[in-house]
Structures are given as structure tokens and as C-alpha cells.
């Protein structure tokens, strides 16, 4: 507060050394003098105030009579900022400075910018024209803006840190793609791909992160998003890790404009576990728990596919219905567990004597069904049923069960007995009953007698 002038002594108005105020030149000058938005004062060559305008009065909050005649140099502490600068101006040097002080000791303290302009007043002496601008309010405003800016910056930094924490700790991989390259990846994405740090990802081509079989899908979605065909997209793909490992992934992304450039932003989720569960459930829904053979549902799916193919190719196929003979005895004599083992063994034996294109299913209990595609006629089927009977006989033998086992088999042919899956199986079932009614281990073809 050195700049604050506090010396109570000044020069009283109208003291003898005071020079009359230089009159403004005309009415126009006086008008400008009085109407100026700046405070203006005139100091004669002795340092005394000889005139001032209304704004200067309001800045200093002093009456005119107190100001006129006041001499800032008259203060014993004329070494104040104003006093020092006034001396320079009275010596002919223009001065421009800012200070916070009371113009007259004990007066109102104000923060102002002063411009002291020497004016030659005759001989080598100068009087001084002072221009004063109140800058306290402006300074306060500047400080307030500065403070608000600092607060905003702090808030932005904390928001950014929070956002970054959220993104980095996210359980989903987060990415940004521009021009087919990763421009941002979070830690989880790096972790999914087994990459040491997210930064190591930047600049990687997206296609290097996708298994060859998924590249066309990826390209299609990227193109459709960037051309505006779709805005959001969700699709599954196989990810390729740098170590060659494969990942089942799901991507959700959309195009946004960042820095004026179209950028795909989105998340990637590891769906390997979900996919494995789906496969497991799907398998369970279509397979028999005990023997792991296709169940009735899958058997019908396959038969319907086969019907379509056979229709297209004008080929024949056979449907075999097998029911084990005397199976109940095995359960009764050796227990249900042994019965289960026999069923599994029969399943293995049946699978072993069939072609890859054939289908063997367990329909339930001791009933099995078989599809034999692309057969020429009953002799082809009979060769297979002979092999089946031989294999089934092995089932109990291999398990050390003394009772031999056989199967009664009924057969229907597509298209000879029908073109409908339900009907073909029903006819084979009826033929099987006919076979069983004639003894054990027999085979019957569905014929005209079956409905
Ligand atoms: N161990 C075992 N037995 C089963 C299972 N499902 C059904 N069974 C039994 O298998 C038997 C099938 O009955 P049937 O076909 O009448 O018995 P079968 O002795 O083969 O009679 P035929 O067919 O007339 O020769 C019943 O005793 C069922 O309880 C299974 O998953 N495991």
C-alpha cells in the first residue's frame, strides 16, 4: 500500500503560488473537457491543481473547492507515486502509470490509470494535463473472470479425471476408430487383446484385430456407418489377438464428429462365455443327455433337411426305427446303471457302423432312429441293418453282460412310403412293431399294409 497517499497535509486551495487555470480554448473544448468519460485535471508549473472536470470530481469524491489549489508536491511525502511522476511531467516528460491511492490525503482511495501530459506554458516551464481512468472496477472484473476461469479449469480437470477413471475402469473395451485405425483404446480393450498398455494400440489397423472370417463383416459395418446408412450398429465378430488367440466379441458403435472428422466410437464386450453357454444350451436342447446322440428334435430337423435335399436331387433315403429286444431284463437283472451302460454302448456301436452323412438319434427309452441318405433301394438298407445287428450284439458282450441283445428294426423309404417326416417315422415305427411281433432281431420294411 505504498502507493496509497495518506499524508494529511496538502496545499490549501487558493494559496499564493497558484497560477490561474488555463482556460479551455472555446465552448467546444469546454464541452469536451466536461463531458469526457475520463477524469481530467490541469496542474500548473508549480504543481497546483488549477482545473478539473466532473468525472475527476466523482473519481476522487471531493468537492471542486478542495481540489483546486491542491498541490501533490506540497506533501512532505511528495515521494508518493503521483508526486514522483508529476515531477517528471513538470520536467517535460509524458508519463503513464497505474496506482491505487487517495488523490488528496485522507480522500477516497481509488485505483486509476494516470496519463500526465506536459504542456509548455511559457519559457522552459511546463504545466500538466492529467487524464485519469478509474480501473478499479475493470480490475475487479478481470480478477473475477480470472477466478472463474481458474474454477472452471479446476472443474474441467476434475471432470476429465472422473471421466477418464470411468473409461479406464470400465468392464467394456472402449474404442475410437478414425480412417480404419484405432485412435483411442481403454485399458480393458488392451486387456482383452493381451496388449500391455492401451497406448500400444494407438495407430493399429482395425483389421489386424479381427480374425479373417470376420473382416468382411467389420468392413461392411464400418462402411455402412460412415456412409450414414446406419447410425448405430451392434454386431458380433471374432477378434484376433496379437498372440494368435481368438476372442468372441460384440461391438456396439456409432459415428460422431470429433475435431471435425467422422469417428466411430463404441464399446466391445467379450461374449466368449455367453457364446459357450449358448452353444452348451443349444447342444443340450438337441441331444440326449445319456448317450449324447441327437434327440428327437434334431432327428426331425435333419430329416426335414434331408427331405428338401432328396426332393432337389431326386434321391431316396431310408428311415430306420430301432427298439431293443429284452432290454427291460437287463435293467431288472443288472440294475438301471448297467441298463444305462448298455444304452451308451449301443449308441457307440450304432455310430461306429454308420457313415458320417447318416444320422443316429435316441428317441427315448430303448428306441433309436437312423437316417440313411442317398440309398438306391432295400438291399443297401439291409446291408446296414445286418451291420447294426452285429454291432448291437457286441454291446452287452463288451460290458460282460451274459444276456445277448438285439434290436427290432422297421424301415420306411422316401419317397416310396411318403414325403413327410412324421409319416415316414410313424411307418417305420409300425414296421418295427411288425418285426418285433415276429421275434427278436428282425427287420421289416414298411409296406402297403402300413397306414
Ligand atoms: N437303464 C435305463 N432304462 C430305461 C431308460 N429309459 C427307459 N428305460 C427302460 O427301458 C425299458 C423299455 O421297455 P420295453 O421296450 O418295453 O422293454 P423291452 O424289455 O425291451 O421290451 P421289448 O421291446 O418288448 O423287447 C423300460 O423298462 C424302461 O424303464 C434309461 O434311460 N435307462
Amino acid at each position: 500500500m505504498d502507493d496509497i497517499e495518506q499524508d494529511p497535509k496538502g496545499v490549501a486551495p487558493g494559496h499564493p503560488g497558484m497560477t490561474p487555470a488555463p482556460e479551455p480554448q472555446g465552448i467546444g473544448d469546454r464541452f469536451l473537457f466536461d463531458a469526457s468519460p475520463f477524469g481530467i485535471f490541469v496542474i500548473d508549473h508549480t504543481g497546483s491543481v488549477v482545473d478539473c472536470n466532473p468525472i475527476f470530481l466523482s473519481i476522487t469524491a471531493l468537492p471542486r473547492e478542495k481540489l483546486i489549489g491542491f498541490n501533490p508536491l506540497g506533501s512532505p511525502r511528495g515521494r508518493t507515486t503521483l508526486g514522483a511522476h508529476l515531477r517528471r511531467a513538470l520536467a517535460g516528460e509524458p508519463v503513464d502509470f497505474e496506482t491505487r491511492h487517495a488523490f488528496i490525503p485522507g480522500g477516497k482511495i481509488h485505483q486509476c490509470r494516470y496519463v500526465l501530459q506536459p504542456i509548455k506554458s511559457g519559457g522552459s516551464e511546463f504545466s500538466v494535463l492529467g487524464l485519469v481512468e478509474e480501473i478499479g472496477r475493470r480490475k475487479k472484473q478481470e480478477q473475477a473472470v480470472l477466478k472463474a476461469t481458474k474454477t472452471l479449469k479446476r472443474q474441467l480437470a476434475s471432470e476429465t479425471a472422473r471421466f477418464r477413471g470411468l473409461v479406464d475402469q470400465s468392464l467394456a473395451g472402449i474404442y475410437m476408430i478414425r480412417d480404419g485405425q484405432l485412435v483411442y483404446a481403454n485399458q480393458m480393450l488392451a486387456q482383452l487383446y493381451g496388449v500391455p498398455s492401451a497406448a500400444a494400440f494407438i495407430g493399429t489397423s482395425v483389421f489386424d484385430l479381427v480374425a479373417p472370417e470376420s473382416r468382411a463383416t467389420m468392413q461392411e459395418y464400418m462402411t455402412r456407418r460412415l456412409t450414414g446408412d446406419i447410425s448405430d450398429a451392434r454386431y458380433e465378430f471374432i477378434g484376433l489377438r496379437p498372440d494368435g488367440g481368438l476372442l468372441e466379441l460384440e461391438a456396439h458403435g456409432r459415428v460422431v464428429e470429433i475435431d471435425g472428422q467422422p469417428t466411430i466410437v463404441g464399446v466391445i464386450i467379450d461374449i466368449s462365455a455367453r457364446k459357450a453357454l449358448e452353444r452348451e444350451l443349444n447342444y443340450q436342447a438337441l441331444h440326449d443327455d445319456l448317450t449324447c446322440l441327437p434327440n428327437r428334435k434334431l432327428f426331425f430337423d435333419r430329416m426335414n433337411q434331408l427331405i428338401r435335399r432328396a426332393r432337389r436331387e431326386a434321391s431316396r433315403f431310408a428311415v430306420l426305427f430301432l427298439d431293443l429286444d429284452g432290454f427291460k431284463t437287463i435293467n431288472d437283472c443288472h440294475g438301471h446303471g448297467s441298463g444305462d451302460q448298455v444304452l451308451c454302448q449301443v449308441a457307440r456301436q450304432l455310430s461306429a457302423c454308420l457313415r458320417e452323412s447318416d444320422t443316429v438319434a435316441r428317441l427315448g427309452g430303448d428306441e433309436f432312429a437312423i437316417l440313411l441318405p442317398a440309398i438306391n433301394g432295400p438291399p443297401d438298407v439291409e446291408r446296414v441293418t445286418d451291420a447294426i445287428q452285429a454291432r448291437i450284439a457286441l454291446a452287452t458282450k463288451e460290458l460282460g453282460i451274459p444276456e445277448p441283445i438285439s434290436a427290432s428294426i422297421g424301415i420306411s423309404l422316401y419317397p416310396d412310403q411318403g414325403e413327410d417326416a412324421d409319416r415316414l417315422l410313424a411307418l417305420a415305427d409300425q414296421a418295427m412293431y411288425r418285426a418285433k411281433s415276429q421275434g427278436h432281431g428282425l427287420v421289416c420294411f414298411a409296406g402297403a399294409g402300413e397306414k
Side-chain angles (χ1 to χ4, degrees), residues 78 102 113 121 159 163 166 228 235 298 325 336 387 421 427 429:
R113 176 182 170 205
S121 60
E159 283 292 316
F163 171 72
L166 198 68
Y235 60 94
L298 184 53
D325 301 319
H336 207 267
L427 288 175
D429 188 13

Side-chain angles (χ1 to χ4, degrees), residues 323-328 331 336 339-340 343 362 365-366 436:
D323 185 287
L324 300 183
D325 301 319
F327 178 67
K328 191 171 176 302
N331 268 343
H336 207 267
D340 282 356
L343 290 172
R362 183 181 176 216
D366 61 351
K436 196 169 282 261

Side-chain angles (χ1 to χ4, degrees), residues 46 58 62 69 95 107 156 178 221 230 320 332 396 405 427 433:
T46 68
S58 92
L62 289 168
V95 197
L156 190 66
R178 196 178 292 154
Y221 276 103
I230 46 172
L320 279 60
D332 293 347
T396 46
I405 194 161
L427 288 175
Y433 272 106

Side-chain angles (χ1 to χ4, degrees), residues 32-98:
L32 287 175
F33 186 80
D34 286 344
S36 167
F38 299 105
I40 306 177
F41 60 88
V42 181
I43 284 185
D44 69 8
H45 70 280
T46 68
S48 293
V49 176
V50 290
D51 199 357
C52 66
N53 73 348
I55 291 291
F56 188 64
L57 296 177
S58 92
I59 289 171
T60 56
L62 289 168
R64 189 176 174 78
E65 23 333 334
K66 258 205 144 175
L67 276 166
I68 302 302
F70 172 71
N71 189 331
L73 303 179
S75 160
R77 288 175 61 209
R79 290 183 298 278
T80 56
T81 303
L82 179 59
H85 289 303
L86 185 56
R87 266 192 203 90
R88 287 164 58 199
L90 288 169
E93 182 190 345
V95 197
D96 187 334
F97 63 98
E98 285 181 10

Side-chain angles (χ1 to χ4, degrees), residues 13-42:
H15 88 104
M18 200 178 92
T19 311
E23 275 299 318
Q25 293 302 299
I27 292 170
D29 285 352
R30 186 76 230 175
F31 174 76
L32 287 175
F33 186 80
D34 286 344
S36 167
F38 299 105
I40 306 177
F41 60 88
V42 181

